Amino acid sequence: MEFIFENFANLTWKHLIMYVIGIVLIYLAISKEYEPSLLLPMGFGAILVNLPLSGVLNQMMPGIGEVQGPIQWLFETGIEAAEIMPLLLFVGIGAMIDFSPLLSRPVYFLFGAAATFGIFATITLAVLLGFDLRDAAAIGIIGAADGPTTILISQVLGSKYLGPIMVAAYSYMALVPIIQPATIRLLTTKKERMIRMPMEDDKKIPKSIRIVFPIMVTVIVGFVSPAAVSLIGFLMFGNLIRECTVLDSLSDTAQKALTNIITLLLGITVAFTMKAEDFVKIDTILVMLLGLVAFILDTAGGVLFAKFINIFLKKKINPMIGATGISAFPMSARVVQRMALKEDPQNILLMHAVSANVSGQVSSVAASGLVLSLILSHLG
């Protein structure tokens, strides 16, 4: 009977810390409903991969040889080998996005661009703190507020902090309703938050433009930042399926079945990077803090840009709109609308917020591709 308890001898304090982290992620997913489709499988996966001699990881079995663990196989096949899972998720995300609000108000592209400030500022800060350029770039991409993009860039750059980066990216995405309001209030006055903007109806965007848009964006980004073609290409391909209207069943499948399956698998697969011996380090805390800085600076960049252009405008823009330039769609738009209603129960900013929020989807991917191109060209 002693062999039943032998594995307890392999338990370390680092394993216990990972169990706590896993339980916290599961708690946030179930009790607080913070990104449950991702945090729950990540939390459960963190426990699975940290059970000593866990069967979900590759291991040598006496008399049998190496036995392949399912989570490790999923990671090596779906993420490490070809980054296929994040890219497939982009197809589903693209199929969900309606770019019509943004095409009705193309000026809101500026807010998406401004809200990438945190990416580049955090990369600079990480380098100054002693991180390798590849790792610094991967950490900065947390500010994209886009989990699949963060996974893809971190993997392509070969960052050794993939685990902490993934946990930071998805955790802070889930905490957008907490992080953004605090940042917005710090940078705006009550008077600014009460600025009303006209309730504009979306212009009827012709079908031809909605079809040309994803093709045009892919081609432009492809020439400007070739390394980003897979990122933007899969996103826009999903959107093209949606807008062509001749593949409605495929669009519906991409939005629901494909997205749900890949999200579920991605969450538990990413847990492979959360092994105790690699995760429980001082650098992990620093990575998490830098990720938070990236999120805050992205929000601040959008808000401050809106305040800046208000200097030159007669009809002022509510600076909270700038915060929705991040890629956390549609959470950020909802947060800003709730804040607007709290200050003024009759202030409807939702369509403006959604327009800027949609621009964040394109801007974050384009910025991430630009970072990838610059880093790869610099490193040769």
Side-chain angles (χ1 to χ4, degrees):
M1 291 293 292
E2 290 183 4
F3 77 92
I4 296 177
F5 303 100
E6 283 180 358
N7 203 22
F8 282 98
N10 298 312
L11 190 66
T12 68
W13 63 272
K14 289 186 176 182
H15 290 132
L16 296 177
I17 289 177
M18 294 309 301
Y19 298 159
V20 172
I21 291 174
I23 291 169
V24 169
L25 292 176
I26 292 172
Y27 168 78
L28 292 174
I30 297 175
S31 180
K32 300 298 183 180
E33 296 187 15
Y34 291 161
E35 291 291 320
S37 60
L38 282 166
L39 294 191
L40 192 147
M42 281 176 62
F44 192 72
I47 295 173
L48 284 179
V49 300
N50 286 292
L51 294 171
L53 304 178
S54 176
V56 300
L57 305 176
N58 294 354
Q59 58 181 301
M60 295 298 298
M61 298 291 288
I64 299 176
E66 185 176 19
V67 175
Q68 198 168 47
I71 289 183
Q72 185 163 345
W73 179 84
L74 282 169
F75 179 83
E76 292 173 349
T77 304
I79 297 179
E80 189 174 55
E83 298 89 31
I84 194 63
M85 275 201 272
L87 290 175
L88 287 176
L89 189 55
F90 267 108
V91 176
I93 294 172
M96 287 188 237
I97 297 176
D98 180 5
F99 284 109
S100 295
L102 179 59
L103 293 173
S104 297
R105 308 172 184 85
V107 69
Y108 283 83
F109 269 114
L110 296 174
F111 291 116
T116 62
F117 168 72
I119 296 175
F120 300 99
T122 303
I123 291 173
T124 303
L125 180 58
V127 170
L128 293 175
L129 290 173
F131 283 93
D132 174 84
L133 185 57
R134 290 177 181 268
D135 294 323
I139 293 168
I141 298 300
I142 296 173
D146 188 334
T149 300
T150 309
I151 292 175
L152 191 63
I153 299 299
S154 300
Q155 185 60 37
V156 171
L157 293 177
S159 174
K160 57 181 175 287
Y161 299 108
L162 182 58
I165 288 171
M166 293 306 95
V167 173
Y170 282 116
S171 297
Y172 295 143
M173 280 177 62
L175 294 174
V176 161
I178 296 174
I179 297 172
Q180 283 211 304
T183 306
I184 292 170
R185 289 192 187 96
L186 183 66
L187 297 174
T188 59
T189 64
K190 182 177 180 65
K191 182 179 179 180
E192 288 175 324
R193 295 193 296 273
M194 292 181 67
I195 292 176
R196 290 190 178 188
M197 298 175 67
M199 292 178 59
E200 302 172 354
D201 293 328
D202 286 342
K203 299 174 184 176
K204 181 65 176 177
I205 304 299
K207 179 180 177 181
S208 57
I209 293 179
R210 287 184 279 118
I211 290 176
V212 169
F213 178 74
I215 299 173
M216 181 183 67
V217 170
T218 303
V219 172
I220 292 174
V221 173
F223 277 104
V224 174
S225 180
V229 167
S230 60
L231 286 168
I232 200 72
F234 276 67
L235 180 73
M236 290 302 163
F237 173 64
N239 187 249
L240 184 60
I241 293 174
R242 171 197 179 99
E243 299 297 351
C244 72
T245 68
V246 296
L247 296 172
D248 288 343
S249 61
L250 289 182
S251 176
D252 187 63
T253 299
Q255 292 180 46
K256 297 176 182 177
L258 177 65
T259 299
N260 288 337
I261 291 170
I262 297 298
T263 299
L264 181 67
L265 291 177
L266 191 60
I268 200 165
T269 300
V270 164
F272 174 76
T273 64
M274 298 172 68
K275 293 178 289 186
E277 60 270 23
D278 300 324
F279 196 92
V280 184
K281 297 178 179 178
I282 296 297
D283 282 353
T284 296
I285 299 175
L286 192 53
V287 168
M288 298 288 284
L289 290 174
L290 285 169
L292 179 59
V293 168
F295 255 75
I296 292 173
L297 291 180
D298 270 351
T299 299
V303 172
L304 293 176
F305 177 73
K307 288 166 69 80
F308 172 73
I309 63 175
N310 271 347
I311 297 173
F312 310 99
L313 298 176
K314 289 184 178 179
K315 292 184 178 180
K316 305 300 182 183
I317 293 174
N318 191 310
M320 293 194 295
I321 297 297
T324 64
I326 69 170
S327 183
F329 178 85
M331 287 183 291
S332 186
R334 291 172 181 166
V335 166
V336 165
Q337 178 57 54
R338 282 198 296 267
M339 291 185 69
L341 291 176
K342 186 174 181 179
E343 302 290 353
D344 177 358
Q346 296 184 351
N347 193 5
I348 307 299
L349 298 177
L350 187 59
M351 291 313 298
H352 297 281
V354 167
S355 300
N357 212 177
V358 169
S359 78
Q361 290 283 316
V362 179
S363 298
S364 66
V365 173
S368 300
L370 179 61
V371 168
L372 186 60
S373 296
L374 292 173
I375 299 299
L376 294 179
S377 63
H378 175 75
L379 297 175

